[in-house]
Amino acid sequence: QKEVEQNSGPLSVPEGAIASLNCTYSDRVSQSFFWYRQYSGKSPELIMSIYSNGDKEDGRFTAQLNKASQYVSLLIRDSQPSDSATYLCAVKGVGSGYALNFGKGTSLLVTP
Amino acid sequence: ETGVTQTPRHLVMGMTNKKSLKCEQHLGHNAMYWYKQSAKKPLELMFVYSLEERVENNSVPSRFSPECPNSSHLFLHLHTLQPEDSALYLCASSQGPSSYNEQFFGPGTRLTVL
């Protein structure tokens, strides 16, 4: 069973701080990693994808990937109350066809 | 909103009803997906269509029946559902099965089975 694990939270951070969201995965041959943001009552929205070890930055978001440790994280700098949402980690393995394996998500609350 | 639309947005049905969910993608993608999202559970992949051919079916009960008439449209036909089928049903699309397969979701249909 290919698993993607996330702390369910809620993770509470003050406005302006850095929020750090973590994800571990069990399939060693996973190649592609995605972060989705899901507001309550809405559908998931793709915010970051990462395929190589290291960091990838896009605005206030930085995705970090460490394949040796089977670990991917999302950093949100200068957190805003509008960042309050559930963040889903998704992983795709080699030869897994079309399927993405999703974690249950981490709930983030940014307090003013 | 993304380039994936879904109708209806909300649906309430009895266990003996027959209804259909519709999805349309305007992104020029060639793969489309149905997912189920239940409370406190990870997103569950139900079906995948690539170029109108079903390529994955993850042990979904036969009361769910997908249909993909062309690469832009996807339907999920529902009949004799159970209350435990109440969930958010999400459609997604992507360019294809490669490892760089970014999937984009529609707004979902919130289904309640009475």
Side-chain angles (χ1 to χ4, degrees):
Chain A
Q1 180 74 13
K2 300 174 183 177
E3 295 185 346
V4 178
E5 299 288 342
Q6 295 181 258
N7 188 321
S8 62
L11 173 66
S12 182
V13 299
E15 184 175 357
I18 296 176
S20 178
L21 304 160
N22 305 315
C23 172
T24 59
Y25 57 94
S26 63
D27 185 0
R28 287 190 168 274
V29 296
S30 297
Q31 276 197 330
S32 310
F33 307 86
F34 307 90
W35 283 100
Y36 287 84
R37 177 177 63 199
Q38 186 172 23
Y39 292 113
S40 179
K42 302 293 186 181
S43 63
E45 173 192 9
L46 180 66
I47 54 172
M48 290 286 285
S49 57
I50 186 166
Y51 309 109
S52 304
N53 278 330
D55 295 358
K56 179 181 178 182
E57 186 175 319
D58 184 0
R60 295 187 296 112
F61 298 99
T62 299
Q64 299 177 317
L65 175 60
N66 184 327
K67 290 186 178 181
S69 300
Q70 296 176 234
Y71 176 94
V72 58
S73 64
L74 180 70
L75 301 179
I76 306 175
R77 290 182 300 280
D78 188 23
S79 295
Q80 302 296 309
S82 59
D83 294 325
S84 299
T86 296
Y87 289 80
L88 306 176
C89 174
V91 176
K92 186 180 186 305
V94 174
S96 65
Y98 295 77
L100 291 182
N101 292 312
F102 282 85
K104 293 182 181 181
T106 297
S107 175
L108 173 66
L109 178 63
V110 181
T111 56
Chain B
E1 294 289 326
T2 67
V4 182
T5 59
Q6 290 185 244
T7 56
R9 298 290 298 273
H10 301 273
L11 178 63
V12 179
M13 58 187 291
M15 289 190 286
T16 58
N17 291 158
K18 290 185 180 181
K19 297 287 184 183
S20 295
L21 309 184
K22 178 183 176 182
C23 175
E24 183 173 359
Q25 61 97 2
H26 312 274
L27 300 171
H29 289 163
N30 54 37
M32 297 186 75
Y33 309 74
W34 280 117
Y35 284 90
K36 176 184 179 182
Q37 188 174 38
S38 304
K40 298 186 179 180
K41 294 177 70 174
L43 275 164
E44 302 172 56
L45 179 64
M46 301 175 72
F47 302 103
V48 182
Y49 276 82
S50 176
L51 296 172
E52 303 143 44
E53 178 183 347
R54 190 188 310 180
V55 294
E56 288 199 34
N57 176 349
N58 286 348
S59 302
V60 179
S62 59
R63 56 186 183 269
F64 295 93
S65 175
E67 178 189 0
C68 187
N70 56 61
S71 59
S72 298
H73 293 86
L74 184 66
F75 295 88
L76 187 63
H77 303 299
L78 315 172
H79 63 98
T80 60
L81 294 191
Q82 304 299 309
E84 61 264 30
D85 297 321
S86 298
L88 180 66
Y89 288 84
L90 293 159
C91 175
S93 71
S94 73
Q95 198 63 273
S98 76
S99 291
Y100 312 103
N101 180 22
E102 295 180 336
Q103 296 182 16
F104 297 90
F105 287 87
T109 295
R110 175 67 63 183
L111 174 67
T112 302
V113 181
L114 302 177

